């Protein structure tokens, strides 16, 4: 008699349908069949018996918030509403990169959306994790109302190796005009709140000016940013949006610019661990970033050839030839060369020719 237990079981099909209709109350571009397809995909992912969608047995890697976000994303993409693109599915059910995950997701999308194998394969190649991150950053808040469907979640970049996320810089999806904040390992910083306050003030400044901020290993301040990461915004009579940021025992309401974006970088081992807090995971669109899954097809096919050429030319193991050589070195160098070459083709107006 001293507490209230609030139990929230998984929603059944009818409850998902009512929830979707409620989210889409002001959108008339969605048919009942389109909503049913989204619900069926979500149910199949959540009820999948294998560990394809459960890294290290974590059954909460995907959840109801991914479903809510998928419904909102679909409603704001007219191309998706007509059933032509898988962008929203791959943005909201990303973050994994093993064969079972791709195989099962392919199977579900083919069955439910009535697409061919080649169509799904082509769409998954088009909307690779790098493209999904870029699209997330491109989407700015269209309106200032609390029910605005255009608001996409912040993005969690799950980095395969400690350096993998930096390929977003090579693609120029992230750039040095944005603000990068890293955890400090200096002893005096680790045991002091002053560093946390400094980091929070920089984040508040980004919120105020509409800059993109990239957070890496800042677990000590994520709780202070609970409302911001949850996008729990409040609309003032002026029409401006604010959210609460906690500073120690105190909190203050901070202005949120409509162009503000946040990316949280997490290592693969942490994100896929059963110990990762569910409430933290569910706040984000999740994308798994590695050099292997991010190269365009026309570059990827040259990796093996490049390795062979180097070994034949120098007659030694590549790890002896290049300081710090690892499995991603050739991927990275080919991407760099391709980027340099593409910068020399800015005069080409035809997008298809430019991509080639």
């Amino acid at each position: 008699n001293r507490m209230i237990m609030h139990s929230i079981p998984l929603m059944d099909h009818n409850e998902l349908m009512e929830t979707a209709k409620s989210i889409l109350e002001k959108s008339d571009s969605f048919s009942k069949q389109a909503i049913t397809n989204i619900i069926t995909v979500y149910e199949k992912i959540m009820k999948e018996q294998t560990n394809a969608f459960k890294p290290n047995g974590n059954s909460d890697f995907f959840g109801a918030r991914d479903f809510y976000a998928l419904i909102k994303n679909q409603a704001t993409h007219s191309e998706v509403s007509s059933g032509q693109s898988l962008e929203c599915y791959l943005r909201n059910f990303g973050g994994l990169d093993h064969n079972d995950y791709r195989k099962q997701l392919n199977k579900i999308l083919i069955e439910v959306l009535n697409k061919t194998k080649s169509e799904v394969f082509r769409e998954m190649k088009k909307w690779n994790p790098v493209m999904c991150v870029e699209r997330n950053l491109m989407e700015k808040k269209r309106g200032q109302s609390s029910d605005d469907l255009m608001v996409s979640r912040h993005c969690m970049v799950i980095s395969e190796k400690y350096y993998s996320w930096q390929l977003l810089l090579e693609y120029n999806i992230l750039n040095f005009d944005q603000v990068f904040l890293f955890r400090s390992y200096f002893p005096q910083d680790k045991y002091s709140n002053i560093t946390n306050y400094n980091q929070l003030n920089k984040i508040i400044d980004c919120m105020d000016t509409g800059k993109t901020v990239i957070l890496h290993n800042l677990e000590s301040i994520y709780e202070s940013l609970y409302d911001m990461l949850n996008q729990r915004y409040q609309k003032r009579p002026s029409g401006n949006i604010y959210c609460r940021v906690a500073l120690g025992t105190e909190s203050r309401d901070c202005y949120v610019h409509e162009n503000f974006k946040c990316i949280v970088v997490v290592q693969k081992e942490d994100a896929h661990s059963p110990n990762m807090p569910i409430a933290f995971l569910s706040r984000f669109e999740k994308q798994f970033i590695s050099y292997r899954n991010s190269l365009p097809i026309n570059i990827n096919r040259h990796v093996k050839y490049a390795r062979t050429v180097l070994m034949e030319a120098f007659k030694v193991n590549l790890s002896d030839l290049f300081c710090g050589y690892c499995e991603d070195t050739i991927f990275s160098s080919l991407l760099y060369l391709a980027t340099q070459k593409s910068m020399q083709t800015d005069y080409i107006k035809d997008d298809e020719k430019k991509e080639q």
Side-chain angles (χ1 to χ4, degrees):
N1 65 350
R2 288 179 184 157
M3 70 173 180
I4 296 171
M5 181 176 135
H6 186 193
S7 177
I8 310 176
L10 283 175
M11 291 182 280
D12 62 27
H13 189 88
N14 291 333
E15 288 169 330
L16 289 169
M17 180 62 76
E18 290 302 311
T19 303
K21 286 179 179 177
S22 179
I23 292 172
L24 298 170
E25 194 174 15
K26 296 182 180 179
S27 174
D28 55 3
S29 62
F30 244 54
S31 65
K32 186 175 180 181
Q33 185 57 47
I35 298 174
T36 303
N37 286 346
I38 294 173
I39 292 171
T40 306
V41 169
Y42 172 70
E43 287 180 322
K44 283 181 175 290
I45 287 174
M46 296 306 293
K47 294 175 182 177
E48 172 62 42
Q49 295 301 308
T50 67
N51 283 334
F53 303 105
K54 303 169 187 173
N56 298 318
N58 182 2
S59 58
D60 297 302
F61 190 78
F62 297 120
R65 286 197 183 190
D66 299 300
F67 170 72
Y68 306 149
L70 176 56
I71 290 285
K72 290 180 180 181
N73 287 158
Q74 289 280 48
T76 56
H77 291 73
S78 57
E79 181 190 45
V80 178
S81 298
S82 62
Q84 298 303 310
S85 174
L86 298 179
E87 176 194 344
C88 298
Y89 290 98
L90 297 174
R91 279 177 56 182
N92 290 291
F93 293 108
L96 301 173
D97 187 52
H98 51 78
N99 289 331
D100 287 345
Y101 158 74
R102 285 194 295 271
K103 183 179 174 183
Q104 289 301 325
L105 187 59
N106 270 356
K107 181 181 173 185
I108 291 170
L109 294 173
I110 290 167
E111 284 178 9
V112 179
L113 303 181
N114 197 26
K115 286 181 174 289
T116 64
K117 237 180 205 182
S118 60
E119 285 176 328
V120 171
F121 179 79
R122 190 166 58 249
E123 282 289 305
M124 291 187 83
K125 282 293 181 185
K126 177 183 178 183
W127 295 108
N128 63 36
V130 169
M131 289 299 297
C132 289
V133 173
E134 182 178 41
R135 189 62 171 235
N136 176 281
L137 291 175
M138 285 169 60
E139 285 185 352
K140 305 302 182 184
K141 195 174 185 311
R142 183 181 288 158
Q144 293 282 359
S145 59
S146 58
D147 60 353
D148 184 6
L149 294 177
M150 186 61 185
V151 183
S152 56
R153 292 183 292 176
H154 295 303
C155 190
M156 175 184 283
V157 168
I158 299 173
S159 183
E160 182 183 38
K161 302 281 183 10
Y162 68 90
Y163 53 79
S164 299
W165 66 273
Q166 294 178 46
L167 74 85
L168 296 172
L169 287 165
E170 295 179 38
Y171 270 106
N172 205 33
I173 292 170
L174 299 181
N175 59 70
F176 293 107
D177 291 332
Q178 296 159 340
V179 177
F180 295 80
L181 299 178
F182 296 84
R183 175 181 173 187
S184 171
Y185 288 93
F186 290 111
Q188 289 182 320
D189 290 339
K190 287 167 76 172
Y191 305 106
S192 168
N193 285 326
I194 294 174
T195 304
N196 291 344
Y197 289 143
N198 288 338
Q199 303 277 38
L200 284 171
N201 280 323
K202 290 176 183 176
I203 294 168
I204 290 169
D205 181 65
C206 291
M207 291 163 60
D208 187 65
T209 56
K211 285 187 176 181
T212 296
V213 63
I214 295 90
L215 310 179
H216 192 288
N217 281 350
L218 291 177
E219 289 83 0
S220 57
I221 65 170
Y222 290 151
E223 280 304 309
S224 299
L225 301 169
Y226 184 88
D227 282 359
M228 183 274 279
L229 295 174
N230 264 335
Q231 295 177 307
R232 190 178 175 184
Y233 300 150
Q234 307 153 17
K235 187 178 180 183
R236 296 282 176 84
S238 62
N240 292 331
I241 298 292
Y242 288 79
C243 82
R244 187 180 63 86
V245 174
L247 296 162
T249 57
E250 300 176 359
S251 65
R252 58 185 268 202
D253 289 340
C254 301
Y255 171 69
V256 183
H257 192 283
E258 63 178 11
N259 290 337
F260 170 70
K261 284 284 185 177
C262 175
I263 286 183
V264 173
V265 178
V266 181
Q267 300 306 309
K268 172 186 172 182
E269 294 74 19
D270 297 327
H272 292 173
S273 166
N275 299 322
M276 171 64 77
I278 299 165
F280 187 67
L281 262 181
S282 65
R283 298 172 189 179
F284 303 96
E285 283 184 21
K286 300 175 280 288
Q287 295 300 332
F288 183 88
I289 298 295
S290 75
Y291 279 90
R292 290 178 297 102
N293 72 5
S294 303
L295 284 182
I297 301 172
N298 59 328
I299 299 177
N300 208 21
R301 61 171 174 256
H302 295 302
V303 171
K304 188 176 179 181
Y305 176 70
R307 187 181 291 116
T308 303
V309 167
L310 286 168
M311 291 186 72
E312 287 178 355
F314 293 100
K315 306 289 190 291
V316 293
N317 288 330
L318 298 185
S319 55
D320 297 330
L321 182 61
F322 297 108
C323 179
Y325 178 86
C326 68
E327 59 183 323
D328 288 333
T329 302
I330 291 180
F331 289 96
S332 177
S333 57
L334 287 178
L335 179 60
Y336 174 80
L337 290 172
T339 306
Q340 294 299 306
K341 192 170 182 180
S342 70
M343 289 169 67
Q344 298 166 14
T345 59
D346 284 342
Y347 63 90
I348 299 176
K349 300 301 179 187
D350 187 315
D351 287 341
E352 192 173 333
K353 285 182 180 177
K354 188 169 183 177
E355 185 180 347
Q356 289 300 321

